[in-house]
Amino acid sequence: MSGLRERKKLATRTALADAALRLCVEHGLDGVTVEQVANEAGVSLRTFFNYFSSKEEAVVAGDVATAAAFVHAFAARPEDEPVLRALRAALVDVVPDRIDPERVAQLRALRRTPALLPHQIAAFAVQERELAAAVAARVGVDPATDLYPAMFAATVMATLRVVVGWWLDAAERPELSDLIGVMIDRLDVGFSAVRPD
């Protein structure tokens, strides 16, 4: 029963997030109310606020879900797998499948909206902490005394945001999985060893 309840909650959350994104792309962030999002998703205003505190939070929920899925996939990789190999596999398994052409157009339309930035940062900060905990467990260090997990997680999340943003803006987009590979390779060698062509 709890499994069915969780699936229903996830379906409602997804419907609200999709409605918020779709309406805000069509009418602009300032042209949409929380009531409209709730109506579009077929739920009450009270139900909306059971899931999100604002329309901005609902709009970025898809990105948050992708980040959460990636962190979960990373944590589930074999324990003896090197960190960067686990990172590459988790990203390639999760991220490209969650960005379809329609979502690309929506993300491109909204990604420069200043009001969304604090919500994106706050949402990704949660996943950054989760990733740091997963990295600490994988390499066997205490994140309270070793900076590596927090620095690694912050670097990965920031780099991933840059990579996806660059990909969204590219006139000719390469395969996202290939771009993720480039990202991992550059993280592996370090920026001082990479010279532009």
Side-chain angles (χ1 to χ4, degrees):
M1 183 63 106
S2 63
L4 177 60
R5 189 179 306 117
E6 289 305 312
R7 286 196 298 276
K8 285 183 175 179
K9 286 172 67 175
L10 178 60
T12 300
R13 183 179 179 84
T14 301
L16 284 165
D18 289 348
L21 183 58
R22 187 168 55 252
L23 287 172
C24 288
V25 167
E26 187 176 342
H27 303 289
L29 189 67
D30 292 336
V32 175
T33 65
V34 170
E35 290 85 356
Q36 288 172 315
V37 173
N39 288 339
E40 180 80 3
V43 302
S44 69
L45 192 58
R46 180 179 176 185
T47 298
F48 177 94
F49 285 114
N50 286 339
Y51 290 89
F52 301 109
S53 64
S54 67
K55 63 186 176 185
E56 291 86 357
E57 186 181 345
V59 167
V60 302
D63 294 340
V64 174
T66 298
F70 147 62
V71 172
H72 179 75
F74 175 83
R77 298 294 305 170
E79 290 180 11
D80 60 345
E81 195 170 43
V83 172
L84 286 175
R85 188 178 303 159
L87 178 67
R88 183 190 305 259
L91 285 171
V92 169
D93 284 351
V94 170
V95 175
D97 288 345
R98 288 174 170 257
I99 302 183
D100 60 33
E102 180 183 359
R103 183 156 173 78
V104 166
Q106 292 171 327
L107 289 169
R108 183 185 288 117
L110 283 178
R111 68 182 293 263
R112 289 187 180 86
T113 305
L116 290 178
L117 188 58
H119 298 275
Q120 290 171 325
I121 291 172
F124 275 98
V126 173
Q127 300 309 322
E128 190 177 296
R129 289 192 294 273
E130 298 275 340
L131 180 58
V135 170
R138 178 172 293 275
V139 299
V141 300
D142 180 356
T145 59
D146 192 316
L147 276 172
Y148 175 77
M151 289 178 64
F152 180 88
T155 301
V156 167
M157 287 302 191
T159 306
L160 184 59
R161 285 195 302 271
V162 169
V163 165
V164 172
W166 183 91
W167 182 76
L168 287 171
D169 286 340
E172 294 183 16
R173 285 192 296 274
E175 289 292 324
L176 187 52
S177 56
D178 293 341
L179 202 54
I180 287 169
V182 171
M183 166 188 157
I184 302 300
D185 290 344
R186 292 200 170 180
L187 288 174
D188 189 20
V189 300
F191 288 110
S192 63
V194 176
R195 298 182 188 279
D197 295 333

